[in-house]
Amino acid sequence: EAHVFLGGSSGWGFGVGVSVRRNDLAGVPGRFGWDGSTGTSAYSDPKEDLIGLLLTQRLMDNPGPPNALLDFWTSAYQAIDD
């Protein structure tokens, strides 16, 4: 079922995942992109003028993202200096 992978805080549109409510530091509304099953992650956040791309070879073996993806996005958003 779609809600298992989208976690209730994301939607699907324009061929990518779209964050519709905040569920962690990086999961901000309006952010859109994709987490691939082999550890890739690419998102764009127009509000923060941010584009991030992470390429790993870490198989996603459960519905939750690997820690490497969470650490990458948390670090990227913590590095924003407004």
Side-chain angles (χ1 to χ4, degrees), residues 13-67:
F14 307 112
V16 295
V18 179
S19 297
V20 294
R21 88 179 119 226
R22 182 180 286 274
N23 64 342
D24 59 29
L25 180 65
V28 297
R31 182 180 91 139
F32 61 92
W34 177 255
D35 290 326
S37 64
T38 58
T40 58
S41 184
Y43 281 91
S44 178
D45 184 342
K47 181 177 178 249
E48 296 293 348
D49 198 24
L50 173 73
I51 296 172
L53 176 65
L54 177 67
L55 304 172
T56 72
Q57 293 181 345
R58 171 67 170 92
L59 182 64
M60 292 180 69
D61 53 3
N62 64 53
N67 288 337

Side-chain angles (χ1 to χ4, degrees), residues 47-49 77-82:
K47 181 177 178 249
E48 296 293 348
D49 198 24
Y77 275 88
Q78 285 178 334
I80 295 172
D81 184 22
D82 287 330

